[in-house]
């Protein structure tokens, strides 16, 4: 049933700026205490334009936070062996606290092999099986940046998530599964939905929290939602408009969802900015762990 007022729009841009400022302040203290600057190495193989934009933004966020960025741009025909050798060098380099190999990789390179080669204690993307395992059994490690950012937005919006009913739509290793585990860690009652889920609208309708990570433009409609639900839209879909122009939309139909939800993240300006903020947060956490440095604030 539509509500009389529209849902609050959750400002991920502002939340990300605030997190980045807190990371920068903590980097200053870390550097004063340890005499060194946290470092993030980003590796890009090939010329994929979207990946190049992401790598540029990550590099800029690193520098803005007062950290050192090490960018490695390799040609598309780089061999798997050469890439693995670079990962080995970065694993051994004491000034590198975080390593990120931008995905997707060219098809001749086995991405799983590369991800698994990164030292789990420098794996700031949180994709290494050791970090996936740590998350599953509740040990501290690195959590993938996108679901971590979603959790931060949910905590800021709702406070305690304990006992809330959450539905995560999508079960990928980088978003859906870690998101569900994070919500479970906060004592939500979690359902994971996917392409084989029967009567998805009915499943979604019982949730206080809905996280959509599907990759299907505007799939989740307002009449799927419980009135007052909090909706986190992870989707980034480019759809064509007229005259050759395109625009970004999420996995949630923002207009109809806003009429029913209590709060919702917009696309763009919701989850996206939090992903990069969490990457620099993870890099700082890595540096602090490696130096046995106690951060002033738990970020
Ligand atoms: P994947 O394609 O890896 O996973 C999509 C998931 O959605 C799968 O589990 C799939 O189910 C499920 N799914 C597909 N169709 C349906 C359907 N009709 N009903 C229910 N479930 C369905 O995507 P990602 O997890 O990598 O990304 C999801 C979205 O998030 C994308 O739009 C992506 O662009 C965006 N994204 C945004 C980020 C950000 O920073 N904001 C970062 C990462 C991703 P099944 O497993 O059964 O196939």
């Amino acid at each position: 049933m539509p509500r009389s007022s529209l849902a609050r729009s959750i400002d991920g841009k502002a939340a990300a700026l605030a997190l980045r400022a807190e990371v920068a302040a903590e980097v200053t203290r870390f550097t004063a205490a340890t005499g060194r600057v946290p470092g993030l190495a980003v590796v890009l193989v090939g010329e994929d334009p979207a990946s190049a934009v992401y790598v540029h933004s990550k590099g800029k966020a690193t520098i803005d936070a007062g950290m050192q960025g090490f960018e490695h741009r390799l040609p598309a025909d780089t061999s798997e062996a050469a890439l693995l050798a670079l990962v080995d060098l970065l694993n051994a380099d004491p000034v590198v606290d975080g390593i990120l190999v931008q995905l997707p990789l060219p098809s001749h390179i086995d991405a799983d092999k590369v991800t698994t080669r990164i030292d789990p204690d420098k794996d700031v993307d949180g994709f290494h099986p050791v970090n996936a395992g740590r998350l599953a059994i509740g040990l501290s490690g690195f959590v993938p940046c996108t679901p971590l950012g979603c959790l931060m937005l949910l905590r800021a919006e709702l406070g305690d998530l304990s006992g809330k009913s959450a539905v995560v739509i999508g079960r990928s290793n980088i978003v859906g599964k870690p998101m569900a585990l994070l919500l479970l860690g906060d004592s939500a009652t979690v359902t994971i939905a996917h392409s084989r889920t029967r009567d998805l609208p009915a499943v979604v309708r019982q949730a206080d929290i809905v996280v959509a990570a599907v990759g299907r433009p505007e799939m989740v409609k307002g009449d799927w939602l419980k009135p007052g639900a909090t909706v986190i839209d992870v989707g980034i879909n480019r759809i064509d408009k007229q005259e050759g122009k395109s625009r970004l939309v999420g996995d949630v139909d923002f207009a109809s969802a806003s009429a029913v939800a209590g709060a919702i993240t917009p696309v763009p300006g919701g989850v996206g900015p939090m992903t990069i903020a969490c990457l620099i947060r993870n890099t700082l956490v890595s540096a602090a762990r490696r130096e046995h440095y106690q951060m002033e604030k738990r970020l």
Side-chain angles (χ1 to χ4, degrees), residues 190-259:
V190 184
T191 302
I192 307 177
H194 45 77
S195 66
R196 307 293 173 90
T197 297
R198 292 195 192 139
D199 198 356
L200 184 58
V203 172
V204 171
R205 213 167 281 129
Q206 35 93 18
D208 304 312
I209 295 168
V210 179
V211 181
V214 191
R216 293 188 181 268
E218 301 176 321
M219 183 185 84
V220 177
K221 308 294 181 197
D223 63 5
W224 295 22
L225 299 172
K226 179 176 175 175
T230 302
V231 180
I232 303 291
D233 189 352
V234 182
I236 302 178
N237 309 289
R238 192 167 285 284
I239 59 169
D240 290 334
K241 277 202 319 190
Q242 280 155 350
E243 295 163 12
K245 287 189 180 154
S246 65
R247 70 185 176 107
L248 288 185
V249 298
D251 291 340
V252 178
D253 176 19
F254 189 84
S256 67
S258 292

Side-chain angles (χ1 to χ4, degrees), residues 30-276:
F30 171 90
T31 303
T34 65
R36 77 172 186 89
V37 176
L40 173 66
V42 178
V43 182
L44 174 64
V45 184
E47 313 272 318
D48 177 58
S51 293
V53 170
Y54 289 137
V55 165
H56 175 77
S57 310
K58 288 167 185 175
K60 185 176 177 310
T62 308
I63 304 302
D64 287 352
M67 301 184 185
Q68 234 180 321
F70 308 100
E71 211 172 280
H72 297 267
R73 287 177 181 258
L74 308 178
D77 62 357
T78 299
S79 69
E80 185 180 280
L83 179 57
L84 292 172
L86 173 61
V87 170
D88 289 343
L89 279 177
L90 298 172
N91 282 340
D93 190 338
V95 300
V96 172
D97 297 293
I99 303 169
L100 180 156
V101 178
Q102 184 66 44
L103 300 177
L105 287 167
S107 56
H108 65 279
I109 298 177
D110 180 346
D112 285 341
K113 221 173 181 174
V114 176
T115 302
T116 311
R117 189 71 156 247
I118 295 171
D119 178 347
D121 294 330
K122 291 189 177 186
D123 168 40
V124 286
D125 250 345
F127 295 165
H128 193 290
V130 165
N131 282 317
R134 286 168 170 164
L135 175 61
I137 63 171
L139 295 177
S140 68
F142 290 110
V143 174
C145 300
T146 299
L148 179 60
C150 295
L151 183 75
M152 289 179 181
L153 292 177
L154 282 168
R155 284 179 177 166
E157 184 62 31
L158 295 171
D160 187 6
L161 307 184
S162 169
K164 297 213 181 292
S165 141
V167 170
V168 179
I169 318 173
R171 56 173 163 179
S172 72
N173 290 330
I174 60 167
V175 189
K177 276 186 211 157
M179 185 73 245
L181 287 166
L182 286 171
L183 288 163
L184 190 60
D186 269 22
S187 298
T189 303
V190 184
T191 302
I192 307 177
H194 45 77
S195 66
R196 307 293 173 90
T197 297
R198 292 195 192 139
D199 198 356
L200 184 58
V203 172
V204 171
R205 213 167 281 129
Q206 35 93 18
D208 304 312
I209 295 168
V210 179
V211 181
V214 191
R216 293 188 181 268
E218 301 176 321
M219 183 185 84
V220 177
K221 308 294 181 197
D223 63 5
W224 295 22
L225 299 172
K226 179 176 175 175
T230 302
V231 180
I232 303 291
D233 189 352
V234 182
I236 302 178
N237 309 289
R238 192 167 285 284
I239 59 169
D240 290 334
K241 277 202 319 190
Q242 280 155 350
E243 295 163 12
K245 287 189 180 154
S246 65
R247 70 185 176 107
L248 288 185
V249 298
D251 291 340
V252 178
D253 176 19
F254 189 84
S256 67
S258 292
V260 184
I264 183 169
T265 55
V267 176
V271 172
M274 284 300 283
T275 298
I276 289 185

